[in-house]
Amino acid sequence: MDADVTDSAGTATEPDTESGRQPSTGAPGLAGEDTEAAAPPAGPNPKRHWLRWVALGTSVAILATAGAGWWFYRKLDGNITTDTSAAAELHTYEKERPTPVALDAQNILLIGSDSRSGDGNGKYGRDDGGSQRSDTTILLHLAADRKSATAMSLPRDLMVEIPSCARPDGTRSRAQFAQFNWAFEAGGAACTIRTVEKLTDIRVDHHMVVDFSGFTDMVNAVDGVEVCLDEPVKDVQALLELPAGRQTLDGEQALGFVRARHGIGDGSDTQRMDRQQRFLGALFKKVQSNGVLLNPARLYPVLDAATKSLTTDPGLNSLSDLYELARSMQSVPMEKVQFLTVPRQPYAQDPNRDELVQPAAKSLFEQLREDNPVSVSPDETDTQSQRNEEKSDDSVKNSGNGSDGGSGTPAPESPSPAPTFQGTNAAVGMCG
């Protein structure tokens, strides 16, 4: 039996038996107005429906981005060629190699190959049966504290002792006293590394080989590099013709510029190496700028160009390895990214070849081997040989009783300044 329901005025009412709804017990409305509370609409909540689509779209976008990122990583990683033969040769002669001194420092041999084989390299000359020589060789020393980096060029015409090395066909070359770039032709990167280690007594931790097309692609990827020329340049062999003045070189022009030996300056290999160092400094400066490193659209072409023409040892054959190397160099101040050439002079028996200048070369090798600082100066008069003379003069002045002014008190030792060699740094650029 249904119970009676009383309205707000106390009057008993009958329940709504048709609809089964109970009368409203809220405050009365206007006369004749239905004061019953409205029921929520049936069906799904529109707001929840919209949020669900937003979440789904975001998930798809994240997955797509991650997938694209993974694809780019795999592509760049797959571009790199691993030099397994060099690793095997070096392992065979491990007992002959120098012992690492500064364990956190890194010594990386950068080799620019003049090979005409491969995609894009044939237009720079004839491929003589796949032969190649090291057109440019630089030993890059990264200090253990990563506060400096020193790139030391080794002249290709430097007369050195080249050991017997394994050839690609399985035979071995003979040990010989010859110009430096023959080592790369005889036995590739491994032979070059063994020759450098024998010459300097510096342990080479890693190596990279870059060909012509890779260099041009790198320059194009950063939209060229600016140079300043005092006079026009024309070198038919280097495929180069440039007007005088300030200008931005594209990849093809840049390659000709760093390779030219005719129609520019005095035509010497000395000036050619100086141009290479200054240009690499300007290229490093541009790559390290925010316009490249923080812009994925510009960074990817740089990485693609760098990796697809790169051959490395197994320790640097992945994108993550190269990233860690690049990241460690980001903290190096521009003025501390230094470029110099090993002290050398015309070879006594052939003025078209080079030989080391001692003791300056030995001092440079020792500084790098021990991870001690060196400094560079564009002024050739402020070089290591001059500092050696000054040090010798100071030793004569302070010799005798080992005292200061005859007082019997030993003179306090002042910190020795870093030896200075002729060179430049990345902060200078090509128009500094």
Side-chain angles (χ1 to χ4, degrees), residues 231-233 235 260-275 344 352 380:
E231 56 187 24
V233 175
D235 187 337
R261 301 186 72 176
H262 308 283
I264 181 172
D266 61 8
S268 67
D269 199 43
T270 298
Q271 287 197 354
R272 191 178 74 102
M273 285 186 293
D274 178 66
R275 285 198 310 276
R344 84 271 183 247
N352 294 318
E380 63 181 357

Side-chain angles (χ1 to χ4, degrees), residues 88-418:
E89 173 84 352
L90 293 174
H91 180 72
T92 300
Y93 291 91
E94 178 62 34
K95 292 183 179 180
E96 297 179 7
R97 302 184 65 192
T99 301
V101 178
L103 298 181
D104 292 330
Q106 291 281 301
N107 296 302
I108 304 170
L109 196 64
L110 310 176
I111 303 172
S113 168
D114 69 355
S115 171
R116 270 66 173 182
S117 62
D119 295 339
N121 291 319
K123 60 184 175 182
Y124 301 113
R126 184 180 60 188
D127 179 17
D128 296 326
S131 65
Q132 58 180 357
R133 294 185 183 176
S134 51
D135 194 64
T136 300
T137 305
I138 296 175
L139 182 62
L140 175 64
H141 174 78
L142 300 180
D145 60 8
R146 296 303 188 267
K147 292 182 179 179
S148 68
T150 302
M152 179 182 70
S153 294
L154 293 163
R156 63 182 186 177
D157 292 332
L158 184 67
M159 299 302 293
V160 296
E161 294 287 351
I162 301 175
S164 172
C165 299
R167 293 192 180 103
D169 62 3
T171 62
R172 297 197 67 85
S173 66
R174 63 179 179 84
Q176 57 186 314
F177 182 71
Q179 62 192 83
F180 174 71
N181 67 341
W182 283 13
F184 193 69
E185 181 181 20
C191 195
T192 303
I193 291 170
R194 292 179 60 206
T195 301
V196 170
E197 291 184 339
K198 185 179 183 67
L199 177 72
T200 65
D201 199 29
I202 297 173
R203 172 81 174 210
V204 175
D205 301 298
H206 300 289
H207 73 273
M208 300 180 187
V209 181
V210 183
D211 61 24
F212 287 156
S213 62
F215 179 83
T216 60
D217 290 344
M218 276 281 292
V219 175
N220 287 332
V222 297
D223 297 329
V225 174
E226 188 178 61
V227 302
C228 294
L229 301 178
D230 295 331
E231 56 187 24
V233 175
K234 184 175 182 179
D235 187 337
V236 178
Q237 295 183 18
L239 307 178
L240 181 68
E241 185 170 1
L242 300 171
R246 183 185 292 263
Q247 57 203 288
T248 299
L249 304 187
D250 62 22
E252 290 289 337
Q253 294 170 322
L255 179 62
F257 181 72
V258 298
R259 295 185 63 233
R261 301 186 72 176
H262 308 283
I264 181 172
D266 61 8
S268 67
D269 199 43
T270 298
Q271 287 197 354
R272 191 178 74 102
M273 285 186 293
D274 178 66
R275 285 198 310 276
Q276 291 173 350
Q277 293 167 3
R278 291 171 64 88
F279 189 90
L280 288 176
L283 177 60
F284 177 84
K285 184 176 182 179
K286 193 161 187 180
V287 171
Q288 200 182 48
S289 67
N290 290 343
V292 175
L293 292 180
L294 300 182
N295 185 339
R298 296 188 66 189
L299 180 60
Y300 176 77
V302 174
L303 293 176
D304 188 43
T307 54
K308 70 183 180 182
S309 60
L310 198 63
T311 300
T312 76
D313 63 276
L316 281 181
N317 68 341
S318 72
L319 192 61
S320 60
D321 293 328
L322 293 175
Y323 171 76
E324 286 301 317
L325 176 63
R327 188 177 64 86
S328 70
M329 290 192 66
Q330 282 186 318
S331 60
V332 181
M334 285 290 178
E335 65 275 8
K336 288 298 183 180
V337 179
Q338 304 176 135
F339 297 86
L340 55 86
T341 301
V342 60
R344 84 271 183 247
Q345 63 190 8
Y347 180 45
Q349 298 182 30
D350 185 350
N352 294 318
R353 301 289 180 261
D354 291 323
E355 64 182 4
L356 295 179
V357 173
Q358 299 295 3
K362 182 178 180 181
S363 173
L364 174 59
F365 300 154
E366 182 179 356
Q367 291 294 111
L368 298 181
R369 180 172 57 252
E370 302 289 338
D371 196 32
N372 292 328
V374 299
S375 61
V376 297
S377 170
D379 186 359
E380 63 181 357
T381 62
D382 187 22
T383 59
Q384 175 62 24
S385 59
Q386 182 188 16
R387 286 186 175 269
N388 286 341
E389 293 175 3
E390 293 173 352
K391 184 176 180 180
S392 177
D393 291 341
D394 291 340
S395 297
V396 171
K397 292 176 183 178
N398 296 328
S399 64
N401 58 10
S403 61
D404 182 12
S407 63
T409 303
E413 293 186 3
S414 59
S416 299

